[in-house]
Amino acid sequence: MTDFLLELRCEEIPARMQAGARADLEKLFRKEMGAAGVTLGQITVWSTPRRLALIANTLPDVTEAVSEETKGPATSAPDQALEGFLRKTGLTKDQLQVRDLKGKDTYFAVIEKPGRAVKDVLAEAVPAIVRAFPWPKSQRWGKASISTESLRWVRPLSGIVAILGEDLVECEIGGIVSGCATKGHRFHAPGDITIGGAHDYARKLSVCHVIVDHVERQDLIRDEARNAAAAAGLTLVEDEGLVIENAGLTEWPVPLLGRFDEAFLDVPPEVIQLTARVNQKYFVCEDGAKETGGGKLANAFVCTANIDAVDGGEGIVAGNRKVLAARLSDARFFWEQDKKTALSDHAKKLARITFHEKLGTVADKVERVAKLAEWLASEGIVPNCDPALARQAAELCKADLVTEMVGEFPELQGLMGGYYARAEGLPDAVADAIRDHYKPVGQGDDVPTAPVTVAVSLADKLDTLVGFFFEDMLPTGSRDPFALRRAALSMIAQIQAAEIRASLGSLVTLAISRHARKLGTEAAQNVLDYWAARVALNLPADEIEFDRAKDSSLSTILSDNAKQKFILGRVRPTVASLLDFFADRLKVQQKEAGVRHDLIDAVFALGGEDDLVRLLARVHALQAFVGSEDGTNLLAGYKRAANILRKEDWKAEAGHPLTGDEDPLENVDDPDMQEVYAARSALGYEPEPAEKNLIDALDAAEPQSTAAVADEDFAGAMSALASLRAPIDGFFDQVTVNDTDANKRYSRLALLDRFRAAVHNVADFSRIEG
């Protein structure tokens, strides 16, 4: 067994491409070796800005001999078929084997391939890997670049090291011949370095100021940047993405601390951090630990040099300070200029920006969002929210999109609007809502709960979802160009965090009414608004026939058949599609939280449940219940009852058959027989004890669970269901459902149907797995 080293050296590889390149190199190597029948052990892949390196441990010296079989035509097939098969396999007819295959004599080609030297396999694999490498962007170079068939690489490829054990693997591609020599650090050790093999590769490069292991460089940058900040009494602002990027930019990283003019601290700290990070790849620091009252941005940065400077880095820091100062001067200019214009004046420019060709301008969107936010506040859907503040915040929430600062740093949209609002003296609630209305933007992000922020944020996301769904621009497969899945997840998180008690159907319908203005008449608009109000009042939302008697003005509106078709053909499908979409997103979100998707289905299947707070409370109670012994056994009893009813194609009917022989007044005055006669009056016969137990249990459990559900005490509803476990078990153990007496059979099936209905009052147990 022998180790193999491959190094592909070139000009600087962009840091953002290096992780993908490492994965692609390993994938292509495994593919080539697998095709040759080489069994692979551990593979290590490293990257620096100037090289990709792969070490494959314990490769065999020779591949295993293989026997390849190819099925050919039947012996009775035309000669042309046989001739084609011979050309394909490169064999003659007398080299073929004839075997019986399903009663037909069939030709087979059996080719014995002896083992090959792995060194020869590698000599063919290396050029194949280079040619097949899937760089996101690549280039041709030199005289050969005239041809489109010339070698392509991310930057000009300059050297190949390929060593198996201590032997050179000879190969060539694009005029570059493999060898045993590489280059060290561009400045510290620019000459050739002879590599003995995989065993000394990393050590020899390290001596020549190249840390080839990217993880080692990341650890060094992370630790030394912290140390540099701590030595100055500061705390480094952690940024793992910046650690990885700097490791991809350097072969010999040396973190250095520098200072910039304190006057720049008048600029918002996020702007300084983004300027340093995006433009210069610098870390920033804070003035002490937050636990001790610090945590404010300091006038310090940490840059990562790629050299051991003879002056200890003073010249490097000075140069970087000048560059950062120029960048911060630009940022301060943007900050001062933007503040000279009120946000309301900035907002007027939004009419020049198209949100989407089918959905109007950003100004159009802002107007819709403002009306929705005001409605959410005025109707109390977002509790303790001032409608005037909600509308004001919504009208200004996109204004910073036209500012100079956001034009330079789009990542700061919303955040800068909040700063400009405070600088202008607007209420804090408005400034906070402008700043945070995009949140949460991903998993782990803060979920705002301030009332004005919640109203604006929900209105913004709801408008986006409804607009694209109304225009039939839904996400498909992995494609979601308008981030609608993220918007739905964000809404769900916000509704949960702020405990918003509202029907999703009513919210969606009202949002649709805002989009419908450009499509329908004022009368159609009135219908939509009225429909939204009905949904908000928990009245049927899927019926077009409204109560004309209570609102005579609707008679004229609804008499127009075209308007009814508009409602039925455009609005109702949009509501249904969006509610299904929210259900799917809710399953995704809750699955990550450890909630079973089938339990969400079980609650959704009840219908009419689109209050997410109430729905999730019911789901969580259901999950706790079905995980208990009572829940497991009750589920088994439910499924048994449901199977019996399904097999009997049960449909409850009014009344039930009697035998005709009953004497309803027999022993009617006997006090001991009163319960019996009460049961007989309902069933037409005296129930068996287990049957009576189930009836009594249902009599007690049904009102308890109904009352508990009405009070949103879902744990109490589950507890009421738990009382049915023993009676249903006893019923199945002691009672014959399919009795020969038709009256008993009917009544017992009806009792099972009643049991099923009692369970369905809490959740549709038919949707629960197990």
Side-chain angles (χ1 to χ4, degrees), residues 402-569:
V402 297
T403 63
E404 296 287 345
M405 188 71 81
V406 173
E408 178 71 13
F409 298 114
E411 304 96 321
L412 295 178
Q413 58 187 281
L415 180 71
M416 291 311 303
Y419 276 115
Y420 293 138
R422 279 194 173 78
E424 194 176 320
L426 297 180
D428 286 345
V430 171
D432 290 344
I434 295 171
R435 179 193 65 199
D436 294 335
H437 79 281
Y438 291 106
K439 293 182 177 181
V441 293
Q443 190 175 15
D445 193 16
D446 293 336
V447 182
T449 55
V452 176
T453 304
V454 171
V456 176
S457 181
L458 284 178
D460 182 36
K461 296 173 180 66
L462 184 60
D463 176 79
T464 297
L465 285 162
V466 164
F468 285 107
F469 270 73
F470 190 69
E471 295 296 342
D472 201 27
M473 292 183 283
L474 284 60
T476 56
S478 61
R479 285 182 50 78
D480 186 9
F482 307 114
L484 302 184
R485 294 187 180 102
R486 186 175 68 188
L489 285 171
S490 180
M491 273 193 68
I492 290 169
Q494 206 149 41
I495 288 171
Q496 288 178 257
E499 296 188 346
I500 300 298
R501 306 305 307 273
S503 157
L504 271 178
S506 67
L507 299 180
V508 169
T509 306
L510 185 72
I512 291 174
S513 73
R514 305 306 172 200
H515 282 275
R517 286 187 184 278
K518 64 180 183 297
L519 300 175
T521 63
E522 188 64 27
Q525 179 63 46
N526 291 340
V527 174
L528 289 169
D529 287 342
Y530 187 64
W531 187 15
R534 288 178 64 86
V535 176
L537 294 170
N538 291 322
L539 298 174
D542 58 350
E543 296 177 4
I544 189 63
E545 294 299 328
F546 298 121
D547 191 344
R548 292 190 175 95
K550 292 183 180 178
D551 192 342
S552 58
S553 65
L554 289 176
S555 299
T556 304
I557 296 171
L558 293 174
S559 65
D560 187 336
N561 193 48
K563 292 165 191 166
Q564 293 190 25
K565 286 183 177 178
F566 172 72
I567 300 289
L568 294 170

Side-chain angles (χ1 to χ4, degrees), residues 242-260:
L242 200 52
V243 168
I244 294 170
E245 187 168 13
N246 274 288
L249 294 170
T250 57
E251 291 195 317
W252 192 257
V254 181
L256 300 168
L257 181 84
R259 296 276 187 173
F260 58 84

Side-chain angles (χ1 to χ4, degrees), residues 207-482:
V207 171
C208 296
H209 284 74
V210 174
I211 301 173
V212 70
D213 184 346
H214 54 278
V215 174
E216 185 179 345
R217 295 198 308 278
Q218 291 169 16
D219 292 342
L220 187 151
I221 291 169
R222 192 182 299 108
D223 294 342
E224 291 305 313
R226 286 174 185 158
N227 293 341
L234 304 173
T235 300
L236 187 76
V237 175
E238 303 287 345
D239 190 332
E240 190 60 22
L242 200 52
V243 168
I244 294 170
E245 187 168 13
N246 274 288
L249 294 170
T250 57
E251 291 195 317
W252 192 257
V254 181
L256 300 168
L257 181 84
R259 296 276 187 173
F260 58 84
D261 190 339
E262 283 191 20
F264 288 121
L265 292 178
D266 292 339
V267 178
E270 294 88 352
V271 175
I272 296 174
Q273 183 172 2
L274 201 59
T275 299
R277 184 191 196 284
V278 173
N279 297 128
Q280 302 306 126
K281 319 305 177 191
Y282 300 162
F283 297 91
V284 294
C285 302
E286 293 176 341
D287 59 359
K290 293 181 181 179
E291 308 85 62
T292 58
K296 294 183 179 179
L297 193 70
N299 65 322
F301 65 92
V302 176
C303 61
T304 306
N306 190 32
I307 190 174
D308 267 335
V310 293
D311 63 353
E314 291 183 8
I316 294 173
V317 170
N320 280 279
R321 182 186 302 116
K322 289 180 181 178
V323 175
L324 180 59
R327 294 288 189 179
L328 292 178
S329 294
D330 290 342
R332 183 165 58 184
F333 174 78
F334 295 149
W335 167 243
E336 297 295 341
Q337 286 297 112
D338 289 338
K339 287 192 297 180
K340 293 178 181 179
T341 303
L343 278 178
S344 57
D345 291 329
H346 280 305
K348 295 174 184 177
K349 303 173 189 175
L350 296 175
R352 304 198 299 257
I353 304 174
T354 299
F355 176 64
H356 188 278
E357 60 181 352
K358 293 185 178 181
L359 301 176
T361 65
V362 176
D364 294 331
K365 176 178 175 61
V366 165
E367 177 60 21
R368 295 191 300 266
V369 170
K371 290 180 179 178
L372 282 172
E374 185 178 29
W375 182 80
L376 290 171
S378 61
E379 294 298 315
I381 292 174
V382 178
N384 306 314
C385 182
D386 185 326
L389 292 181
R391 184 176 185 91
Q392 182 183 20
E395 288 175 337
L396 301 177
C397 68
K398 307 294 183 185
D400 64 353
L401 293 177
V402 297
T403 63
E404 296 287 345
M405 188 71 81
V406 173
E408 178 71 13
F409 298 114
E411 304 96 321
L412 295 178
Q413 58 187 281
L415 180 71
M416 291 311 303
Y419 276 115
Y420 293 138
R422 279 194 173 78
E424 194 176 320
L426 297 180
D428 286 345
V430 171
D432 290 344
I434 295 171
R435 179 193 65 199
D436 294 335
H437 79 281
Y438 291 106
K439 293 182 177 181
V441 293
Q443 190 175 15
D445 193 16
D446 293 336
V447 182
T449 55
V452 176
T453 304
V454 171
V456 176
S457 181
L458 284 178
D460 182 36
K461 296 173 180 66
L462 184 60
D463 176 79
T464 297
L465 285 162
V466 164
F468 285 107
F469 270 73
F470 190 69
E471 295 296 342
D472 201 27
M473 292 183 283
L474 284 60
T476 56
S478 61
R479 285 182 50 78
D480 186 9
F482 307 114

